[in-house]
Amino acid sequence: MSSQPRFSITREALIHQLYEAAELEHNLMCTYLYAAFSLRSGTAEGLSETEADATARWRRAILRVAVEEMGHLTAVWNITSALGGSPRFGRINFPLDPGALPANVVVRLAPFSEAVLQHFIYLERPTGSTEPDGAGFSPDFQFTRGVARPRVTPMPVDYETVGKFYETLAADLGSFVARIGEREAFCGDRNLQISRAEIDFQGCDPVICSKTALAAFDAIVSQGEGATQENADSHYQRFIAIREEMKALRTANPSFSPAYPAAVNPVLRRPVRQGARVWLEDETAATTVDVANSAYMLMLRLISHSYLVPRPHPLKALCIDLSLGLMRAMAPLGERAARLPAGPSNPECNAGMSFTALRDSAPIPPGTSAGKFFVERLAEINDAAQSLVAAANGDARVTQAQRVLADLTRRAERGFANLTTELPRTAVAATPPAQSAPAVAPTSGSAVIEPGNVAPTPRTVDGVDYIEGRDLTLIYEGKKCIHSRFCVTWGPKVFIANVKGPWINPDAMSTEALTEIAHVCVSGAIRYKRKDGQPDEAPPPVNLISVREGGPYAVRADIRLDGAPAVSYRLTLCRCGASKNKPFCDGSHNEIKFAASGEPPTGKADMLPVRDGPLAIDPTIDGPLQVRGNVELISGTGRVVARLESARLCRCGASNNKPFCDGSHTRVGFKSA
Ligand code: FES
């Protein structure tokens, strides 16, 4: 990169440039999402098998680019924060007026087409590329934004390519740091930044000095915009690969139409200026876009709020999780919008999500009012989505979006409430989640009923047996049992196999030995409550998630499952996708002959500063287990696979990167309920 500064640069000017970088990355992300939403899907939407296979891959590829733009955006936010600035979360609505960006950087929402793909290639082109812009994307007129003289007022700069822009930014940052020093320059609280503990995006590394800031710029450039022609995985090369494949498919079938004719620059209200925008008059389309836009806006609000919260803090993680969840609600609605008519004034095109931005996306002030705001807003959006469902004739995309929104609303209510009041661990007498009574004892074996060994009749509440012993109440929840057989082999006099009726006699062995059996019950099906004044089971000193060969995750931790303290420090959670009692394992992995290694390769395994504490596990709708907290992921044989503060663990059984989620749940159409 060039190291020549243009002129003496100020912090304000740097932040001004970073705001433009944020807008640029943000705009690119929206345009890529818009094009991906417009792609047809499957043979039911008029494609041949081969074409459907191609558009599904293109959709995944473009969405991956959009997610990487989100990572770039986060890197820019982090640099802004490191410099003591408040990151820019807003953007100007589409289409951008000339001057917002340099003349040759044209940004608008348009459906997938050859011209749009060529435009993407042009936007991501490396310096020296001769790729032309897509047809119809030439600027209305040429102009120059930059000024040759230094000004105290932050002034925009001109650039030919995005890579050149970052080159200028890097040079200006270097100049600023050289003038005032590293410590002075990077004066922002580094804990305000988003890190990989909150979200595992490339770019979410803390920026603490010019070296880390320049590394972030380099990563942005090499991954996408100014990447060298040789970088086969750059955005530029990925778009070229789609172009080549589309050419071949068009040769085979000249009438191949990969996308719906979604509107170019749709808007929700009558435009002031006609021509460059499509007003969505169709009410179904307008209400769909309305909910999608609202989810998008709230997503930005949540991210901006997270930049006020120093990490590590569960509130920061909650805000990020909810915002990512909103993306999962927004996407199906964006797809639905591209399939609906725009309205009578524009019969030639469909609608499309307008990505309308808030007039200001500044963070909501910290405190309980922020929680109230987010819960209230999510409930409003969920209500609007419920109305959409009623009018959508069973459209699967709308139903999916509403399910996600309902789940997020529930999570927000619990999450913001728990952040001020930690819920007490469920007492024995409390009503646990509904479970049906176990049909049989955990396993087969020889029936042993010795004279005098009489199992008392349990009290059964919602499928959970409470068996009174002298010193403790033994609790057995058969629906969670995964038949590890520790109980019937370690305590055959207490756990009497193959009998009809009562089969557990807590007084048939010493209380201490019995509690040991409970502690090795990996599923948490066996628990106890002491009555003799001795302490109950304590949380483990190290949180562990064990990956079992061809089986579930065995969790041993102070678990917060789906926002509430779990009834046990031990749980087995489904990772094959087949359990009928999700998120718990019910042994279905045996029925489906689930093949998955219990010995994944070792990854990031640096020792954690803290190894215990609450471990939040949130099963996301139709997606992975979101894990937050200090945890060691171990193989079935006990080898450390990774030490983590957050992870997304596959629970559909289809990931090619098990135990981690790689997005395959979408490909295989995983349903969590
Ligand atoms: S849950 Fe299996 S890949 Fe995401």
Side-chain angles (χ1 to χ4, degrees):
M1 286 191 178
S2 157
S3 59
Q4 284 304 307
R6 288 173 302 109
F7 47 78
S8 179
I9 193 89
T10 63
R11 190 185 303 271
E12 185 73 281
L14 268 178
I15 290 173
H16 183 78
Q17 285 185 42
L18 286 163
Y19 283 177
E20 178 164 336
E23 286 181 35
L24 186 59
E25 300 292 351
H26 197 156
N27 287 330
L28 292 179
M29 181 187 79
C30 294
T31 55
Y32 296 155
L33 288 174
Y34 192 86
F37 293 163
S38 72
L39 280 166
R40 292 179 198 273
S41 168
T43 51
E45 295 194 340
L47 303 173
S48 70
E49 295 271 356
T50 311
E51 291 163 352
D53 185 53
T55 57
R57 266 185 289 105
W58 298 349
R59 182 180 183 279
R60 283 198 298 275
I62 298 172
L63 289 180
R64 193 177 139 220
V65 170
V67 167
E68 286 168 2
E69 293 298 340
M70 184 84 189
H72 298 177
L73 185 50
T74 311
V76 171
W77 287 334
N78 278 353
I79 298 170
T80 312
S81 179
L83 290 170
S86 169
R88 168 100 168 109
F89 302 97
R91 27 160 282 272
I92 303 162
N93 278 322
F94 294 110
L96 270 60
D97 284 330
L101 295 171
N104 285 325
V105 185
V106 175
V107 178
R108 68 172 73 121
L109 295 175
F112 181 92
S113 69
E114 270 156 342
V116 167
L117 190 55
Q118 186 59 41
H119 178 57
F120 292 168
I121 291 168
Y122 179 77
L123 288 175
E124 301 275 11
R125 74 194 185 285
T127 304
S129 159
T130 55
E131 288 283 355
D133 203 346
F137 281 90
S138 49
D140 293 344
F141 54 91
Q142 287 294 335
F143 57 85
T144 304
R145 302 193 310 164
V147 290
R149 289 172 175 278
R151 299 271 186 249
V152 179
T153 302
M155 302 298 287
V157 296
D158 279 298
Y159 43 90
E160 276 295 310
T161 65
V162 178
K164 279 284 174 203
F165 176 42
Y166 281 108
E167 197 175 302
T168 303
L169 244 173
D172 286 349
L173 181 67
S175 159
F176 177 66
V177 172
R179 183 162 64 80
I180 75 162
E182 288 277 346
R183 187 185 282 265
E184 277 296 296
F186 294 94
C187 60
D189 180 350
R190 70 181 64 170
N191 288 323
L192 293 177
Q193 297 177 41
I194 294 179
S195 75
R196 293 207 190 207
E198 283 80 46
I199 182 170
D200 196 14
F201 278 172
Q202 186 167 5
C204 292
D205 297 307
V207 173
I208 53 174
C209 59
S210 49
K211 191 174 166 202
T212 44
L214 294 179
F217 286 145
D218 273 341
I220 293 172
V221 173
S222 67
Q223 190 174 55
E225 298 88 355
T228 61
Q229 303 237 15
E230 292 77 45
N231 184 351
D233 198 39
S234 68
H235 298 177
Y236 172 72
Q237 293 291 357
R238 279 185 243 164
F239 286 138
I240 285 180
I242 295 175
R243 181 179 68 186
E244 298 314 307
E245 195 178 5
M246 186 154 77
K247 259 189 211 157
L249 287 170
R250 272 266 160 79
T251 305
N253 174 16
S255 61
F256 171 42
S257 168
Y260 286 94
V264 174
N265 296 324
V267 289
L268 268 183
R269 66 180 176 99
R270 187 191 296 275
V272 178
R273 276 180 292 162
Q274 302 294 324
R277 295 159 177 81
V278 172
W279 177 29
L280 303 179
E281 296 162 295
D282 180 89
E283 187 53 19
T284 305
T287 50
T288 303
V289 172
D290 182 34
V291 178
N293 282 347
S294 302
Y296 160 70
M297 290 182 226
L298 186 58
M299 180 188 99
L300 293 175
R301 279 271 197 222
L302 282 158
I303 297 177
S304 71
H305 188 69
S306 78
Y307 270 93
L308 292 184
V309 184
R311 68 172 305 273
H313 195 290
L315 177 58
K316 197 174 189 83
L318 177 67
C319 290
I320 300 292
D321 286 349
L322 292 174
S323 65
L324 292 178
L326 283 163
M327 270 192 117
R328 288 189 292 112
M330 180 190 90
L333 294 177
E335 290 180 4
R336 161 97 167 144
R339 287 154 172 80
L340 293 169
S345 303
N346 294 280
E348 75 292 345
C349 74
N350 282 5
M353 183 182 164
S354 63
F355 288 92
T356 306
L358 289 163
R359 184 158 272 191
D360 192 288
S361 298
I364 299 292
T368 51
S369 57
K372 278 191 206 312
F373 174 90
F374 291 127
V375 170
E376 177 186 292
R377 188 64 182 142
L378 262 166
E380 289 163 2
I381 299 171
N382 184 39
D383 284 351
Q386 273 169 346
S387 307
L388 279 188
V389 171
N393 294 327
D395 182 275
R397 291 184 172 90
V398 175
T399 308
Q400 167 74 0
Q402 196 275 321
R403 284 176 66 218
V404 172
L405 285 165
D407 181 57
L408 294 174
T409 306
R410 194 176 50 84
R411 282 180 197 284
E413 282 166 0
R414 273 190 184 174
F416 286 108
N418 285 352
L419 287 172
T420 45
T421 322
E422 176 69 82
L423 297 175
R425 185 163 288 279
T426 311
V428 169
T431 303
Q435 302 283 346
S436 60
V440 292
T443 187
S444 59
S446 55
V448 182
I449 309 180
E450 294 175 0
N453 184 9
V454 180
T457 302
R459 174 171 53 92
T460 304
V461 180
D462 291 331
V464 183
D465 290 342
Y466 297 85
I467 306 113
E468 298 302 331
R470 188 181 53 251
D471 295 333
L472 52 63
T473 303
L474 197 91
I475 305 160
Y476 176 70
E477 188 172 358
K479 208 164 180 184
K480 290 212 181 114
C481 176
I482 66 160
H483 308 282
S484 295
R485 303 189 70 236
F486 287 113
C487 56
V488 291
T489 53
W490 288 27
K493 291 186 179 169
V494 173
F495 300 93
I496 310 160
N498 283 353
V499 295
K500 284 202 181 336
W503 62 283
I504 300 175
N505 181 7
D507 291 337
M509 69 189 298
S510 82
T511 305
E512 297 312 319
L514 182 53
T515 58
E516 280 311 305
I517 292 177
H519 296 167
V520 295
C521 172
V522 290
S523 65
I526 296 174
R527 312 187 289 274
Y528 63 88
K529 181 81 183 161
R530 305 262 318 216
K531 301 195 284 192
D532 57 0
Q534 296 302 306
D536 285 320
E537 183 178 354
V542 178
N543 290 336
L544 295 174
I545 298 180
S546 162
V547 181
R548 292 168 71 99
E549 179 82 20
Y553 298 110
V555 187
R556 183 175 287 267
D558 188 2
I559 305 162
R560 303 292 182 274
L561 185 66
D562 213 5
V567 292
S568 165
Y569 296 119
R570 296 161 277 112
L571 284 179
T572 42
L573 299 176
C574 173
R575 77 174 179 118
C576 71
S579 170
K580 291 175 266 314
N581 186 30
K582 296 186 189 75
F584 305 105
C585 168
D586 70 349
S588 293
H589 52 274
N590 293 320
E591 285 163 35
I592 66 163
K593 300 194 171 23
F594 180 52
S597 173
E599 296 295 322
T602 301
K604 185 175 179 297
D606 302 340
M607 187 56 81
L608 296 169
V610 182
R611 304 169 77 189
D612 59 355
L615 183 71
I617 302 180
D618 292 317
T620 60
I621 292 269
D622 301 342
L625 297 170
Q626 171 72 62
V627 179
R628 294 210 177 274
N630 308 309
V631 66
E632 298 193 2
L633 201 58
I634 59 173
S635 73
T637 55
R639 175 178 48 82
V640 174
V641 173
R643 294 189 174 95
L644 303 158
E645 291 171 274
S646 81
R648 288 162 67 80
L649 298 180
C650 174
R651 66 169 179 141
C652 73
S655 171
N656 294 313
N657 187 32
K658 293 187 190 71
F660 302 104
C661 168
D662 70 350
S664 295
H665 52 272
T666 308
R667 175 175 53 80
V668 300
F670 171 62
K671 291 283 171 230
S672 53

